[in-house]
Structures are given as C-alpha cells and as structure tokens.
Amino acid sequence: MTTPRPTAELRQPRLLLPDSPALIAGFGRGTLLTPDGELFSGPAIEIGRRLRDMPPPMVVHAPATARRLGLGSFPACDLLELFAFCQPARPAAPTPRGLALALDRDPPEDEEGLAALLPELATAMLRHLAAGRNAPLNRDAAALAAKLGAETHWPWADSVLAALGQQARPSLDPLKVWRRLPEWEEVAPPPPPAHHPVSATDARRRLAEILGEGAEQRPQQADYASAAAGAFQAREVRGAPNLVLAEAGTGTGKTLGYVAPASLWAERNGAPVWISTFTRNLQRQIDQEAARLYPEPAERRRRIVVRKGRENYLCLLNMEEAVGAASMAGVLLPLALVSRWALATRDGDLQGGDFPGWLTELFGPHHVWPLADRRGECIHSACGHYKQCFVEHSIRRARGATLVIANHALVMVQAALGGGEDGKPQRLIFDEGHHLFDAADAAFSADLTGGEAAELRRWLLGAEGGRSRARGLARRLEDLIGDRPDLLLPLEEALQAARALPAPGWPTRLADLDEPRGTAEGFLQSVRRQVLARAKDEEAGYGVECDLHPLPEPVAEAGAALAESLTRLKNPLQALHDRLAARLEDEAEELEVGDRIRIEAACRGLERRALMPLTAWCAMLGTLSSPAKPPGTRPEYVDWFALDRREGREVDCGMHRHHLDPTQPFAMAVAAPAHGVLITSATLRDHAGTTEGEEDRESAWRAAEARTGAAHLPTPAIRAAVASPFDYATRTRALVVEDVSKGDPAQVAAAYRALFTASGGGALGLFTAVRRLRDVQSRIAQPLAERGIPLYAQHVDAMDNATLVDVFRAEEHACLLGTDAMRDGVDVPGRSLRLLVFDRVPWPRPSILHRERRTHLSEGQPKSYDDAIARHRLRQAFGRLIRRGDDKGVFVLLDKSCPSRLLAGLPPGVVVKRLGLRDAVAETREFLAES
C-alpha cells in the first residue's frame, strides 16, 4: 500500500534565502555579517573592499545604503523590493528598524543586532507569502517572479518561487494587472438629501458610541462635538451657510469630535460630508482615525472615501504603455512591484495612502511619476481601462459615501468649476483651517509664465519630438470629432494658433536672448529684461520680481501682441467646446452613454485646461494697457513680473496675478453654496498675549474671520474654542539662544549639532530657507552619525515628505531637518520627537504680494500683520512637540533678535527662557533625561 502524496495545498513550501551577507550602513562606515557568522564593523572603504569578494549583500534601501557609505551603486538583495512583492500596499518605513517594526519584530539598538536580523526579516516575508500562496492576490505571483528572474536576474526570484511552492503557471503577461481589477457599475443618480439636523446632544451621543464603553473621559472633546453640530442644522437663507469657527487645542481629539456629528448627519440625510485638509499627512491620519467609526474593512471602504486630484492616481493607460515599452531590466522591476501594489491597493493613490513612496527613491521618479495622469490627458470612456479606472471608482464611491476625505486644493478647484466631477457638497469641514487663506490664494490665482504656457501648448499639440508619449488634443478627441467639418475646422485653427505659445527649448532661448519663436517667447524676454533692470543687485542668484508700472513701451507692445495671439487661440477652442456641448442636446436620442460621458469630459477638459487659463491670461494682459492706479488705492488683484531661479539657474519667467484677499472668492465660490461649513484648527486665532481681555479675544476672532472668509458671508459665524488638555508648563521647555549668530553658518550648525547630541536624537530642525538647511546638513551629518544619531533631511534625501516622516517616527534616535511642510505636517507622538529647533524667526517673505496685503489688509497696523504671521508659524511649530499627554519636549529658537511679543502666543503656562547655547544644551539634556 503506497502513501498518497500530499496535495499542493497541504505541502509546505521550502524557504530559500540567497547565500548573501547582511549589511547595515552608517555614515561613512558599516557593519557586515557574512553567511558564516563573521561580523565586521569598520570604515566604508574596507566594507567596499570586502564586498568585492562576496555575493550581493542583503540591505534595506540599496541607494541610501550606498550613499551613506559613500560608495557607488553596487548589486544588492534589497529587502524593500522583497517587502513590496510579498506584502504590497502595506506601510513600512524604509530603514532596517522601520522594516522590523512593520513585520512585528522588536529591532535591536545596535548595528550588529540589526545585521543579524535582516535574514530573519527576509524569512518572515517569505513565510507570509507562502501562507497566502493560494490567495487571489498571488494568482500570477509565480509567473511574475519567474519573469523577473529570467529577464532581470532579480535576486529574490528563486526565493519567491520556493515560497510559493510551485513553478510558474502558464499566464498572460502578469504585468497587465488591469485584466484582474474590478469594474465599477453605473447606478442611478442619488436622490436629493434630506435636511434633518444634528443636535448637540445627538453629537455627544454619537461620539460616545464611537469611543466605546470604558473610554477615557475627555470633556473637551464632547464640548467640541457639541459646537461642531452647529454646522449640521438646516439652512434658512440661500447663500448663508451655517458656519462654525472652532479652535480646538492639540489633544482635544477634534477629528472624532467632528466625525461624530458629520457621520450622523450623512446617515440621516443620505448625502456625504466632505472633510478637507491641507496636508496629505492629515488626510491619511483622518482616514485612520475614522476606522474607529466603521471598524469592519468592507463597510469602511464603502462608507469612507479618500478623494484627490486625478493626477494623484495610477493611470492604467499610462501603465499599459509603460508595460509595452518595458524592454530593459531597469524598467521591468519597478513596473512589476507597482503591478503587485495595484492589485492590493485600496484606491490606487500614488501620492500617499498605501503606496510605498520609497519605490520612487529605489528606482527614480521617472519610473513612477509618469504612471499618473499628471498631464491632464485622460480620454475617459475612450480608454480601454475606463471601467477599472481608480479615479472613476473613487468618484462613484464618493457619491454614495458617508465621509469623503479630500484636500483644500481639490475642493476649491471643484468649486471653481461649478462642482466638477463630484458635484457641490452640501456640508463641508475644513480641518487645518488656518491654511484656508494660503489654499485659496493658490487656487484662485493665475500665472502667465513660460512653464504654464508651454504646458498648455503640450496639452494641445502633444509630443513635438523627443521620447514623450504625450497625446495632443486631436488624438484625444479624434473619435468624437471624426470627419465633421464643424468640429474639425475650429480644432485645426486652435492647433495652428497654439504655435504662438513657447516651443520646446524655450528656457534656453529666454536666457540667451536668442530670436524668440512666437509672441509668447517675445513677451517673456521683454518681462525678463524689465525684471533684471529693476532687481536689487544683492538678489543675484535668487528669484527676483518687480512691479508692472511704470511699464516700458517694448513690454506693452509684446503684451498686446501676445494678447492678440491668445485671443486667436481661445476663440476656436471656445467654438469647439460649444459645438461639442451642443451635441448633448442636438443628438440626445442618438448618443450612446459612453459617447455622452466622453463629450462631457472633453468639455470639462477644454474648460479647465485651456479656456479658464486663456481667459485669465487675456484679462491680465489687458491691464498692461491701463494706467497705473494711484498709490494707496486698494486693488482687487495684485499683479507683478517675476524671474524664477533654482540654484542660480533661470527656470521660468512671466506675469503673476493673485487676489488681494483670496478668501473673498473662497467665500463666494466654496462656502456660500454650502448649507453648513465647519472651519477648525488648533491655531485658528492669533493669540497675541498670555493674558487676554475681552477686547483682545474679540480682536482675535475678527482676525480669524478675516483669514477664513467668514467676514464675507452674510450671517455671522458661530464661534467656539476648546482649550488643550495638555500640561504645557510641566511637559515642555521653551528656550531662546542668545549667543549664536544666525548669520554665521558655522555657529548655527554647531548649535544644531550640540542640541541634537544633547537630546540623543528625536529632534526636528526647522529652517526658513532650503539653502541654510542644506548647509547645516552637510556640516553635522557625519559628527552625528559618529555618535549613533542618523540624520535625514528634506531637499537632501531622495524621499518624499511622508516617507521622511515615517522614517523619523520609526527611528527613535534619528533627527530630521525640514522647512514649511515639516512645520505643519509632522504628527509624531512619543520620544521620536522630543526636541524642536528653529533656525530663526519665520517672518513672512518680503515680496510684492506681501507688501500689498500688508498695506491694505492690516487695518493700518502693518507691523501687527507681520507679527501675526510669524507668531502663528512659531505656534504651529511648537504644536509638533506634544501630541499625547505623556510627551515631553524642548523648543529652541536660535534667534536672539526674536521679540517677546511673538513668543507670547505659545500655549498658556509656557515660560520662555533666554540663555546661552551652553546652558540651553545643559537644560535640554537634563529635562529630556527625566523622561
């Protein structure tokens, strides 16, 4: 009697690891563990010598490893590649410790222990893959691994095939993931929402349900939820939304505080509530916190939808074209890992969410960024992947969702387009409401620059030589236009007129003053001459700007010529738009559903990508022929010329227009059409002093209303303020160092090095200029590394901001240098952030735009206007330190000239000390040692 052989389902696969050493890199040194167990720690030059006689080592993040060792790129078995294959769409910080934490391992503190851990991490990933080898996600995994092994010699291919316990099964190209993605189905339009209000009691009850029994009692959070409910009452007057301004100190728990009434209103009335943020980090954080409301994954996916602009998502058509061109090994591997992610992702978002941002760092942005529709070339229903499209999925899911988590930019652009693809939401929550002014400023501005005009030419004409796959307007509309003369004629006229826009290579001709090609380049050259003529000599090497008036005659003539060219372009495009739109009515009974959708999308594209900017540009050029307004006259817009430089090189030039007060178009286009709006932040008001009287509080609220657009609405806002529960007096220290010259790079770098060493890492360094950040990083990276403190830096390390923050959070003893984005977007509780050092007072940049706003929006107090901006930025930075009740942190400002009035806005109880660097270092070390 023979024993039956085990089936494939029961057979345990044999794990197979490459016979490789493990390598951990420091700054200029490393630790190498051979397969035989020999351990070596030493300088990079010796590490490099030993690697020449060994198989490719196991590393985490091969490019960063080579960079830290100061070696050129070398063959390696990168565990991040294996992680992306085995556990796609799962977050992990791209460091040995970060990867260990993602795999539920306790990382050792020493490099020797980390080196020994790398093979264990590889084994854990392969075991995970083996356990799910029959899951739908892994149906084509063996075929993909075999393809990578055969065509790229991927070092993990044999290990993956062994873990899957099978040979590659016959399969169509496993990179063509669109064949396996679900399709969306069209449903009937939703009925209009009801208008059942949410009372304060209702909000408190829902909050208690979300928190569950036994949750910590937080009276401030319940009070906040009660106040937020004011935005969910029935509107009484058209154009007058129920507006609530709510300031909630850090630690209040404002996310669940507003999710409670928002989710209740959405469920009662059958329409989503849109939650808008300024930073991607907060968008992700809200999504994670809202999971407490709907813990079951399927319900959560149905109820909560993250929405971003189309350019953030994986475009399957771009993916198909990239797969078709993937003949080189360096292209195939990143596409394979993206394809694995595409099968597992929740929503296809390449710019956050569950996409591992470090894939861009491993292989270069040119392998990832072109996979998104960053050029506005979507052909909608003409695309063969329309039914699988991640963007279309998110739009349709959002219509039936409870909560839609979006961002300020998308919400404002949609409003400017009359609702766009998502329609106009009735209820809006703006978290990070202190950024509304800046977000509206970006959304409702116009830039007639070489870069913007050249991008419009490319959108209209497509690729003009080179290797670009860009599709022009004719290609995108060819199926809709066919051979119809009424559509062909305006299209051909527009494409001919588009040649007046800057042609490829325009930046070189601009700087060298070569003969311009077209009226746009002629205008840009004349603007450049005016800017350089009026710029300050000391500004050489940096971007410069100047006022329009007095306007030289050559600039006026060049502007008039360009205005005429833009009109010749706009008119046929408008005719094309109108005739396409007319088909929806004239051929209503004949059009297929797909054609109708494509016509609507084409009209939206023409409106957004061409007609809107052309209209704005023509209006801007029209002002050049108008006389200058008398000094002191309050303008509606601020116009100026600018020449942009990057690292001393000219990169763009043109004319800019911003609203003097951008909250006015925000109030009219975004807030007024809604029925209820909640604007909230931890720093909504300007706290100008530690003790405020009634008059001061009223002034602070009026300033908040001005900065959020509430002052432009017909009915007054409901005001609410909830204090932070944190004990800032006990848990923080605030120090101003008075003996460091902020203008001496060596002194500033020495101060950062001493303070970061005193804290033992866990420090965030903030800068008001990228140049100073890079200078300090170059001076202190090696000394810190020699003390076992890794240093990461925005604008230096090839990581996006979200990945840098993930690394900083995972590495308790790491330090991070950053600029504005880090000041607002870092949420790192615990000891990973225990020291914050600011290089100088973050005064507003002295630009023409700021000058005009300072003059006309300051109510006669320009100094106070500047103070409020700087005070707000310092308070935002200070707020990064304490994210939980048991956090401790030290705030240091390396600027002895900082006026005390700016620091008066720090949280109540914080006492600011002015002292020398030696004493600041000692106090930092002593205070944090008590943790």
Side-chain angles (χ1 to χ4, degrees):
M1 181 176 177
T2 59
T3 303
R5 297 178 64 184
T7 63
E9 287 75 14
L10 299 177
R11 187 186 307 126
Q12 291 297 318
R14 178 178 62 89
L15 294 182
L16 176 69
L17 288 180
D19 187 23
S20 299
L23 175 61
I24 298 293
F27 194 93
R29 61 179 304 279
T31 298
L32 192 65
L33 178 67
T34 70
D36 298 331
E38 178 187 355
L39 189 68
F40 171 78
S41 294
I45 189 171
E46 180 62 21
I47 292 288
R49 188 187 68 77
R50 293 182 178 232
L51 285 177
R52 286 197 292 269
D53 302 322
M54 293 182 180
M58 290 187 193
V59 301
V60 177
H61 203 311
T65 300
R67 188 166 56 250
R68 286 187 172 275
L69 291 172
L71 303 174
S73 61
F74 54 84
C77 301
D78 198 330
L79 270 73
L80 288 180
E81 295 175 5
L82 182 62
F83 183 81
F85 192 101
C86 296
Q87 300 196 36
R90 182 173 177 182
T95 65
R97 288 186 177 86
L99 192 56
L101 292 172
L103 295 169
D104 300 320
R105 300 293 196 278
D106 292 327
E109 292 294 328
D110 59 296
E111 291 186 354
E112 292 82 0
L114 283 173
L117 185 62
L118 295 193
E120 294 183 30
L121 298 181
T123 299
M125 287 183 254
L126 292 169
R127 289 190 189 282
H128 175 87
L129 183 64
R133 63 189 186 277
N134 294 320
L137 170 67
N138 296 321
R139 191 181 76 183
D140 295 332
L144 185 58
K147 183 179 181 73
L148 290 174
E151 299 185 27
T152 74
H153 306 292
W154 189 44
W156 295 112
D158 290 340
S159 302
V160 167
L161 288 170
L164 292 169
Q166 60 189 34
Q167 296 295 321
R169 294 178 295 185
S171 171
L172 297 175
D173 189 343
L175 289 173
K176 296 180 178 179
V177 292
W178 47 87
R179 296 182 292 106
R180 296 184 50 201
L181 294 175
E183 295 186 357
W184 53 264
E185 294 183 0
E186 201 67 72
V187 297
H195 300 282
H196 303 299
V198 175
S199 69
T201 303
D202 294 334
R204 287 175 178 267
R205 187 181 302 115
R206 170 53 68 94
L207 177 62
E209 292 171 359
I210 297 173
L211 297 175
E213 295 183 6
E216 175 188 359
Q217 295 298 311
R218 303 167 77 176
Q220 296 98 328
Q221 188 178 31
D223 292 344
Y224 176 84
S226 296
F232 298 97
Q233 308 306 306
R235 187 177 68 173
E236 296 184 0
V237 180
R238 182 182 181 185
N242 296 296
L243 177 63
V244 176
L245 298 182
E247 183 175 88
T250 305
T252 301
K254 71 176 185 299
T255 299
L256 293 183
Y258 60 62
V259 161
S263 60
L264 192 57
W265 184 90
E267 292 169 10
R268 284 181 177 178
N269 295 287
V273 174
W274 278 56
I275 301 172
S276 180
T277 74
F278 187 69
T279 60
R280 290 194 182 106
N281 282 339
L282 184 58
Q283 206 170 1
R284 181 169 55 175
Q285 180 185 328
I286 294 171
D287 184 33
Q288 293 167 347
E289 286 206 47
R292 298 180 65 175
L293 177 63
Y294 305 115
E296 202 280 315
E299 183 183 20
R300 179 186 171 203
R301 174 176 170 78
R302 180 173 60 86
R303 296 272 199 170
I304 302 174
V305 176
V306 177
R307 280 286 289 122
K308 296 182 179 180
R310 190 173 286 271
E311 67 279 1
N312 289 278
Y313 296 90
L314 173 66
C315 170
L316 295 174
L317 183 57
N318 286 355
M319 177 80 173
E320 181 183 15
E321 292 185 349
V323 168
S327 57
M328 297 183 295
V331 177
L332 184 59
L333 180 55
L335 283 176
L337 298 181
V338 170
S339 72
R340 289 285 291 165
W341 166 80
L343 291 172
T345 180
R346 177 182 168 192
D347 53 16
D349 179 7
L350 283 169
Q351 299 295 319
D354 54 20
F355 183 76
W358 36 261
L359 281 182
T360 305
E361 304 147 27
L362 295 187
F363 302 107
H366 54 286
H367 287 315
V368 176
W369 291 352
L371 299 179
D373 179 24
R374 304 175 70 87
R375 300 288 197 173
E377 297 172 343
C378 181
I379 56 176
H380 300 275
S381 62
C383 177
H385 313 304
Y386 183 62
K387 284 288 189 176
Q388 294 85 25
C389 176
F390 288 112
V391 180
E392 299 298 332
H393 267 290
S394 71
I395 292 171
R396 282 156 182 79
R397 287 174 49 225
R399 291 170 184 166
T402 300
L403 302 175
V404 178
I405 305 171
N407 54 66
H408 296 351
L410 176 65
V411 170
M412 293 185 190
V413 168
Q414 297 278 46
L417 297 173
E421 297 166 314
D422 295 283
K424 291 187 177 182
Q426 282 201 2
R427 306 285 164 164
L428 284 161
I429 297 173
F430 289 99
D431 204 338
E432 297 180 301
H434 58 280
H435 278 302
L436 278 180
F437 189 97
D438 295 329
D441 194 28
F444 297 104
S445 62
D447 303 293
L448 174 48
T449 65
E452 291 291 324
E455 176 63 19
L456 176 57
R457 174 177 174 135
R458 190 216 52 78
W459 188 80
L460 291 168
L461 298 180
E464 297 179 80
R467 299 167 58 187
S468 172
R469 303 190 309 273
R471 296 177 289 270
L473 185 63
R475 168 83 182 279
R476 292 194 297 275
L477 299 183
E478 58 188 356
D479 292 340
L480 294 178
I481 291 177
D483 57 358
R484 298 177 54 142
D486 62 322
L487 299 176
L488 277 173
L489 181 59
L491 175 63
E492 292 172 357
E493 289 179 0
L495 298 184
Q496 183 61 37
R499 300 190 180 278
L501 300 173
W506 66 269
T508 303
R509 292 188 294 278
L510 174 70
D512 295 342
L513 294 180
D514 288 350
E515 186 66 26
R517 299 183 187 175
T519 54
E521 291 188 19
F523 175 71
L524 296 175
Q525 287 190 0
S526 67
V527 167
R528 178 178 180 273
R529 282 192 293 269
Q530 177 169 330
V531 173
L532 291 176
R534 298 179 185 175
K536 297 180 181 178
D537 293 339
E538 61 265 27
E539 292 177 325
Y542 300 93
V544 288
E545 59 185 25
C546 73
D547 292 289
L548 303 188
H549 300 283
L551 190 70
E553 189 61 29
V555 182
E557 292 174 356
L562 177 57
E564 185 177 344
S565 296
L566 295 183
T567 301
R568 284 199 299 267
L569 173 59
K570 179 187 172 186
N571 289 342
L573 287 175
Q574 185 68 60
L576 180 62
H577 171 278
D578 294 344
R579 291 172 190 178
L580 279 172
R583 290 188 61 191
L584 297 174
E585 182 176 348
D586 298 342
E587 304 172 32
E589 298 178 357
E590 305 169 15
L591 286 174
E592 299 285 345
V593 173
D595 289 338
R596 175 175 290 277
I597 293 172
R598 289 186 55 215
I599 290 173
E600 291 174 346
C603 290
R604 283 197 303 270
L606 284 167
E607 181 70 25
R608 177 178 176 181
R609 296 301 302 264
L611 295 175
M612 288 180 65
L614 285 170
T615 300
W617 294 348
C618 289
M620 292 164 64
L621 293 171
T623 64
L624 298 182
S625 60
S626 303
K629 292 186 177 180
T633 304
R634 177 177 170 129
E636 181 181 0
Y637 301 104
V638 181
D639 298 322
W640 72 96
F641 293 146
L643 175 64
D644 297 330
R645 297 189 179 112
R646 188 173 299 126
E647 298 180 354
R649 181 173 58 89
E650 294 180 6
V651 295
D652 207 351
C653 180
M655 180 178 176
H656 301 266
R657 164 169 286 188
H658 285 235
H659 281 265
L660 178 71
D661 180 2
T663 67
Q664 188 167 12
F666 163 76
M668 296 301 102
V670 183
H675 288 219
V677 179
L678 168 65
I679 300 175
T680 186
S681 168
T683 55
L684 207 56
R685 298 175 292 166
D686 173 31
H687 295 263
T690 54
T691 57
E692 295 179 319
E694 184 63 35
E695 184 177 342
D696 296 323
R697 286 192 291 270
E698 177 62 26
S699 176
W701 275 118
R702 285 200 306 270
E705 290 170 347
R707 295 284 295 181
T708 58
H712 299 299
L713 294 171
T715 55
I718 300 171
R719 302 169 176 176
V722 181
S724 170
F726 295 152
D727 183 0
Y728 286 101
T730 302
R731 308 300 298 181
T732 66
R733 294 291 183 268
L735 314 175
V736 176
V737 177
E738 294 198 300
D739 58 353
V740 170
S741 173
K742 64 183 180 183
D744 185 336
Q747 289 191 41
V748 173
Y752 270 98
R753 184 190 67 242
L755 289 162
F756 285 7
T757 302
S759 69
L764 174 63
L766 294 177
F767 293 80
T768 56
V770 175
R771 175 178 53 84
R772 291 196 294 273
L773 180 154
R774 288 174 170 162
D775 183 78
V776 167
Q777 188 275 341
S778 67
R779 293 171 185 263
I780 70 175
Q782 184 166 352
L784 290 178
E786 291 170 354
R787 294 168 171 82
I789 301 175
L791 178 69
Y792 299 90
Q794 184 188 10
H795 305 292
V796 176
D797 288 292
M799 304 183 192
D800 61 25
N801 291 348
T803 304
L804 280 171
V805 172
D806 288 342
V807 170
F808 183 54
R809 186 182 293 112
E811 303 276 337
E812 187 174 292
H813 301 298
C815 295
L816 174 63
L817 306 180
T819 52
D820 285 355
M822 296 301 176
R823 185 189 69 227
D824 292 325
V826 175
D827 184 25
V828 181
R831 281 184 53 78
S832 289
L833 177 48
R834 51 191 181 269
L835 170 67
L836 190 146
V837 183
F838 220 136
D839 74 324
R840 61 180 61 192
V841 173
W843 294 112
R845 190 172 72 87
S847 64
I848 290 174
L849 179 60
H850 175 69
R851 180 195 71 197
E852 295 302 306
R853 287 175 174 164
R854 187 177 188 263
T855 300
H856 298 288
L857 301 182
S858 64
E859 298 181 353
Q861 297 180 314
K863 178 181 175 182
S864 297
Y865 187 82
D866 289 346
D867 285 356
I869 294 173
R871 188 161 41 237
H872 170 81
R873 291 173 177 173
L874 289 171
R875 191 173 174 218
Q876 271 291 312
F878 189 93
R880 303 302 98 200
L881 273 178
I882 307 297
R883 312 303 291 175
R884 299 187 311 212
D886 58 351
D887 284 354
K888 290 185 70 174
V890 178
F891 175 88
V892 181
L893 181 62
L894 301 175
D895 191 345
K896 62 184 178 182
S897 64
C898 177
S900 297
R901 66 182 184 273
L902 298 187
L903 299 170
L906 297 182
V910 176
V911 177
V912 179
K913 294 184 180 179
R914 293 180 178 268
L915 66 184
L917 178 61
R918 185 186 65 177
D919 293 336
V921 168
E923 180 146 351
T924 297
R925 182 182 295 111
E926 180 181 355
F927 182 71
L928 295 179
E930 299 170 358
S931 302

